[in-house]
């Protein structure tokens, strides 16, 4: 498969009255055509900021992309003009946001919002755009699609609004879809439907996907490889099954241990990661996870570990990754 996206040493910071927020600290990853990547980590770790940087949607001020490259189909998106970037957004790279209620304009009909991109990017006239919009609503499972084009967002349920957002994102046949926690505001049943819908559409349309979530359970059957983020760094990256079976970073281990198991007793407490994430106003000079890590040694407090190979297509940013065995439980240091 051909290389579609290459993110190299991406750095994004926010310059606030309180100081400089080190939101994304030199992350790198690649994505091939049709491939799916899960970007996982707790709230505030830099997942959304990193993909908004790829899309050049960081609010400036206070945000600024301070370094790195985003190579998409051979072009560095950080170097092209604003007009060129607007033609890439929606047409070649599309994004589904967390909350469909705030992502849709409440005073415009669904049809108006769906057809706008089709006219802009594909040069369709009114009747062509309406036909395509109805076709896309049918594709994502909304009944009486043609009739619903004249409805407003508040006339749709949360799950249906998210389906509209997916239809809007896919209407111009993008090569890459970025899904930023699209199931967060939905109940569990609807979450499962949306995940299944996106999987089906990926198989049908052959697009690449970056799926952002804080839930390692969601990505298990969703993506081919996973990048785990913590405090603006990618701390582990591997094929999804390798990550579950041979995790090498203590943070990944803690995340996996905190997922409820089917055979777990209702009286058994879930594992927790003690402590709090670091203050991103402080420039990282050590392993960001060291204050919460039961495996930390003196070196962890002195140097930021690089993302290094720890197996086939497996990369870990941990000074003790080779020692952390698969059967270790978080909180039981070796």
């Amino acid at each position: 498969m051909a290389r579609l996206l290459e993110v190299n040493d991406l750095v994004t910071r926010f310059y606030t009255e309180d100081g400089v927020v080190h939101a994304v600290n030199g992350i790198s990853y690649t994505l091939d055509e049709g491939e799916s990547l899960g970007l996982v980590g707790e709230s505030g770790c830099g997942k959304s900021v990193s993909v908004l940087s790829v899309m050049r949607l960081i609010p400036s001020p206070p945000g600024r992309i301070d370094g790195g490259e985003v190579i998409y189909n051979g072009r560095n998106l950080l170097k092209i003009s604003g007009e060129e970037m607007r033609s890439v957004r929606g047409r070649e790279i599309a994004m589904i946001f967390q909350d469909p209620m705030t992502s849709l304009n409440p005073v415009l009909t669904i049809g108006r919002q769906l057809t706008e991109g089709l006219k802009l990017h594909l040069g369709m006239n009114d009747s062509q755009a309406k036909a395509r919009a109805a076709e896309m609503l049918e594709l994502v499972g909304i009944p009486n699609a043609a009739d619903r084009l004249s409805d407003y967002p508040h006339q749709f349920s949360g799950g249906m609004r998210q389906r509209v957002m997916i239809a809007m994102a896919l209407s111009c046949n993008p090569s890459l879809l970025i899904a930023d926690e699209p199931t967060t505001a939905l109940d569990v049943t609807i979450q499962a439907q949306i995940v299944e819908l996106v999987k089906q559409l990926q198989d049908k349309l052959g697009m690449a996907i970056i799926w952002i979530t804080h839930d390692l359970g969601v990505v298990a059957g969703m993506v081919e490889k996973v990048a785990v983020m913590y405090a603006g760094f990618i701390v582990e990256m591997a094929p999804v099954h390798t990550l579950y079976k041979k995790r090498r970073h203590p943070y990944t281990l803690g995340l996996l241990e905190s997922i409820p198991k089917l055979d777990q007793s209702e009286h058994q407490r879930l594992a927790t990661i003690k402590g709090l994430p670091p203050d991103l106003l402080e420039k990282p000079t050590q392993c960001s996870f060291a204050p919460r890590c039961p495996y930390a040694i003196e070196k962890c407090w002195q140097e930021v570990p690089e993302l290094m190979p720890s197996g086939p297509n497996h990369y870990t940013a941990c000074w003790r990754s080779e020692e952390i065995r698969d059967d270790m439980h978080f909180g039981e240091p070796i």
Side-chain angles (χ1 to χ4, degrees):
M1 283 187 291
R3 179 62 44 83
L4 181 67
L5 179 71
E6 190 172 330
V7 176
N8 297 318
D9 204 25
L10 181 66
V11 176
T12 304
R13 298 192 176 105
F14 291 87
Y15 293 84
T16 71
E17 291 180 1
D18 296 324
V20 180
V21 178
H22 299 81
V24 177
N25 298 307
I27 68 169
S28 302
Y29 59 85
T30 61
L31 194 66
D32 292 338
E33 290 179 357
E35 191 178 28
S36 51
L37 166 72
L39 212 49
V40 181
E42 61 196 56
S43 296
C45 71
K47 308 184 297 295
S48 296
V49 171
S50 69
V51 293
L52 288 172
S53 301
V54 168
M55 297 282 281
R56 275 176 56 183
L57 290 173
I58 294 294
S60 178
R64 195 168 78 199
I65 300 170
D66 275 354
E69 297 179 317
V70 177
I71 310 297
Y72 174 79
N73 271 340
R75 289 180 295 170
N76 186 354
L77 298 184
L78 303 184
K79 298 293 185 185
I80 64 176
S81 68
E83 189 175 340
E84 285 180 283
M85 191 65 213
R86 280 190 290 275
S87 70
V88 170
R89 284 190 217 110
R91 176 67 186 93
E92 298 180 58
I93 305 176
M95 190 163 177
I96 309 168
F97 295 92
Q98 281 191 32
D99 184 357
M101 198 60 227
T102 56
S103 302
L104 291 167
N105 190 321
V107 300
L108 297 179
T109 64
I110 292 299
R112 168 79 183 276
Q113 296 181 66
L114 273 167
T115 55
E116 187 176 11
L118 295 167
K119 294 175 186 176
L120 175 68
H121 293 301
L122 303 184
M124 290 184 174
N125 61 33
D126 281 344
S127 60
Q128 290 171 329
K130 278 186 179 178
R132 173 68 172 166
E135 180 189 332
M136 292 308 299
L137 288 185
E138 282 181 19
L139 185 66
V140 298
I142 292 181
N144 306 316
D147 296 333
R148 303 226 61 184
L149 289 175
S150 57
D151 287 348
Y152 290 85
H154 72 269
Q155 293 173 274
F156 291 76
S157 67
M160 286 296 179
R161 283 196 293 266
Q162 198 58 286
R163 287 170 186 265
V164 171
M165 289 298 300
I166 294 169
M168 195 180 297
L170 301 183
S171 60
C172 295
N173 293 325
S175 302
L176 171 60
L177 175 68
I178 299 173
D180 186 4
E181 303 213 43
T183 61
T184 298
L186 308 174
D187 66 54
V188 177
T189 308
I190 306 299
Q191 281 185 25
Q193 292 175 4
I194 296 296
V195 168
E196 189 57 35
L197 172 65
V198 174
K199 281 170 63 178
Q200 289 171 1
L201 292 172
Q202 184 189 21
D203 292 340
K204 184 173 181 177
L205 305 174
M207 61 194 168
I209 289 184
I210 297 176
W211 187 278
I212 301 169
T213 181
H214 59 273
D215 187 348
L216 267 171
V218 167
V219 297
M222 185 75 203
V223 301
E224 294 159 83
K225 64 181 181 182
V226 180
V228 179
M229 285 192 70
Y230 184 79
F233 293 92
I234 290 179
V235 295
E236 187 162 14
M237 184 160 54
V240 64
H241 298 299
T242 303
L243 191 88
Y244 279 79
K245 293 177 183 175
K246 298 182 178 179
R247 57 272 195 178
R248 286 283 178 258
H249 196 280
Y251 179 60
T252 311
L253 189 60
L255 287 180
L256 289 168
E257 288 280 306
S258 66
I259 299 173
K261 312 295 188 295
L262 287 174
D263 59 354
Q264 188 169 322
S265 162
E266 61 182 81
H267 303 297
Q268 188 177 340
R269 292 178 67 87
L270 291 174
T272 58
I273 302 175
K274 292 181 172 62
L276 297 170
D279 184 355
L280 297 181
L281 288 169
E282 295 178 13
K283 186 176 181 180
T285 56
Q286 61 183 39
C287 173
S288 298
F289 192 60
R292 306 173 73 183
C293 181
Y295 303 95
I297 55 175
E298 190 175 347
K299 190 176 185 180
C300 303
W301 297 91
Q302 297 169 346
E303 294 180 57
V304 178
E306 290 184 33
L307 197 64
M308 301 291 286
S310 57
N313 298 316
H314 193 168
Y315 301 86
T316 313
C318 178
W319 297 121
R320 301 190 70 189
S321 63
E322 292 303 315
E323 303 166 56
I324 299 174
R325 292 182 286 273
D326 300 343
D327 59 352
M328 278 288 106
H329 292 288
F330 189 81
E332 297 176 10
I334 40 184

